[in-house]
Amino acid sequence: MSAILLAPDKFKGSLDAAAVADALAAGIADVDPGRPVRRCPVADGGEGTVAAALAAGWEPVTTAATGPTGAPLTAVWARDGVSALVELASTAGLAVLPDGERAPGGAGTEGLGTVLAAVLDAGCTDVVVGLGGSATTDGGAGLLRGLGARVLDAGGAEVGRGGAALARADRLDLAGLHPRLRDPAVRVRLAADVDNPLLGPHGAAAVYGPQKGADAAGVAALDDALARWVRVLAAATGTDADTLAAARGAGAAGGAGLALTAVCGARVAPGVGTVLELTGFGDELAGAGLVVTGEGRLDAQTLHGKAPAGVAAAARAAGTPVVAVAGQVTLGPVALRAAGFVATYALTDTALDHRDAVDRAAELLRLLGARIATDHPSPTRPMIRSRP
């Protein structure tokens, strides 16, 4: 009997990916209790990435750190032997802003640096940093501070937290930088599907600054400050400033990965592809007869590096049909077929309204799991059709 592989992303604001998979599995069991079901929750490098690794059996590790505005918090990262997975969103994400109040010029990545220092202290040598969900636009300056570096103004004083303060940056002192960051045995990968450069109309401030609360004047100020920062960073690391700023993905997460690229040669890797690799998706896919993926909303953004599109591509390459579940589906049938989905199921098809879909997500997903099992029976089990 062919297995169903459940590989959803989270339903933001409702259920995490593991809970989505559990609800679907319960619905499948309601219809076909003997059907083998495998679970492999996924993510795309943003919020939920560490949770996906933990669901795959990685070990959780907690580290005391700070959030984007400096408030203390406890961050969780995942470890599997010498491999570590760190989520920027857990320390510098929109979701951990105090009271949700955005600080586009003052939010920093210091907490991420603190967590990376703990990862290096733990002896990990294969480090993956998920860059999605950022609330910051500081070019990774705070991240380097969390790792022991100092960002100084012309008078030798430390500049403040956040991207706006980089307008005063004059020198980067790397003397106190964590020594293992530059160890040749340590490999750092940046999981992101963003290919924006750092600066200009397609850069970190212009494209993502408004989502983080920046108005037009704030965007211009941040872009100018980042331009100054990249020159300071290049001077300290002996790299070319223009090459750094124009590199693919330099603008991801407000430029957070830029600092790691300059200091230790970190490279951007596809977010969802990296997560699928780390969670053993390929092994789970082998022999499956159907893949079920999904997220809270299937829309145009889904097709640009989001987890369901990555799962669909991997499943299609293996010749395995894939269906999607979502709170809401706004993509048309042509786009869905082109992305590889043979069918889609939406909570809004049966929910009273959007609020009801959010509040009763687990219940409705269980019903959809039952529908999927009925619509896609195992080859050894005949399809059961209800009476008209």
Side-chain angles (χ1 to χ4, degrees):
M1 186 178 293
S2 63
I4 296 178
L5 173 58
L6 304 176
D9 198 351
K10 64 186 177 297
F11 278 39
K12 192 171 184 179
S14 184
L15 298 173
D16 65 22
V20 173
D22 288 344
L24 291 168
I28 294 167
D30 289 339
V31 169
D32 190 356
R35 187 81 177 265
V37 173
R38 303 173 185 172
R39 294 171 174 84
C40 186
V42 299
D44 58 13
E47 186 181 355
T49 298
V50 164
L54 298 181
W58 288 46
E59 173 192 357
V61 184
T62 58
T63 297
T66 54
T69 57
L73 52 71
T74 300
V76 179
W77 51 281
R79 180 174 186 174
D80 182 19
V82 297
S83 297
L85 180 59
V86 178
E87 189 177 295
L88 175 145
S90 69
T91 56
L94 292 166
V96 294
L97 283 167
D99 300 319
E101 186 172 346
R102 304 190 178 192
T109 53
E110 283 80 359
L112 177 59
T114 300
V115 174
L116 286 174
V119 167
L120 296 171
D121 286 342
C124 295
T125 54
D126 182 21
V127 183
V128 177
V129 183
L131 290 182
S134 164
T136 58
T137 313
D138 75 347
L143 184 158
L144 291 182
R145 272 201 289 266
L147 284 162
R150 297 194 303 154
V151 183
L152 308 174
D153 64 17
E158 291 262 8
V159 304
R161 176 187 300 270
L166 296 176
R168 302 190 304 278
D170 183 73
R171 183 167 61 89
L172 172 62
D173 181 358
L174 296 174
L177 189 71
H178 198 295
R180 293 199 66 244
L181 188 64
R182 288 173 153 174
D183 185 337
V186 175
R187 178 178 66 152
V188 179
R189 288 180 283 168
L190 309 173
D193 286 290
V194 169
D195 58 5
N196 303 73
L198 181 69
L199 306 172
H202 303 292
V207 175
Y208 302 106
Q211 300 173 12
K212 302 171 186 182
D215 57 17
V219 165
L222 284 169
D223 195 62
D224 288 344
L226 287 174
R228 183 181 183 94
W229 166 241
V230 76
R231 292 193 297 271
V232 170
L233 183 60
T237 58
T239 51
D240 178 71
D242 291 337
T243 300
L244 274 181
R248 175 185 174 275
L258 174 75
L260 291 172
T261 298
V263 171
C264 68
R267 291 290 180 264
V268 175
V272 64
T274 301
V275 175
L276 294 183
E277 171 199 334
L278 296 175
T279 56
F281 175 82
D283 293 336
E284 297 294 341
L285 179 61
L290 179 71
V291 175
V292 183
T293 187
E295 61 182 349
R297 180 183 172 95
L298 280 178
D299 56 19
Q301 289 189 355
T302 301
L303 306 180
H304 298 283
K306 294 296 185 179
V311 169
R316 182 166 56 177
T320 307
V322 57
V323 303
V325 296
Q328 183 179 18
V329 178
T330 63
L331 288 170
V334 174
L336 290 167
R337 284 195 299 271
F341 301 111
V342 299
T344 56
Y345 301 81
L347 303 189
T348 51
D349 290 344
T350 53
L352 298 175
D353 53 31
H354 174 74
R355 186 70 256 168
D356 184 52
V358 173
D359 292 343
R360 294 198 299 133
E363 174 188 345
L364 295 172
L365 281 164
R366 183 168 185 162
L367 294 175
L368 289 186
R371 281 186 57 194
I372 290 168
T374 301
D375 293 347
H376 304 272
S378 172
T380 61
R381 180 177 182 274
M383 179 181 292
I384 299 175
R385 297 189 183 277
S386 59
R387 296 179 183 272

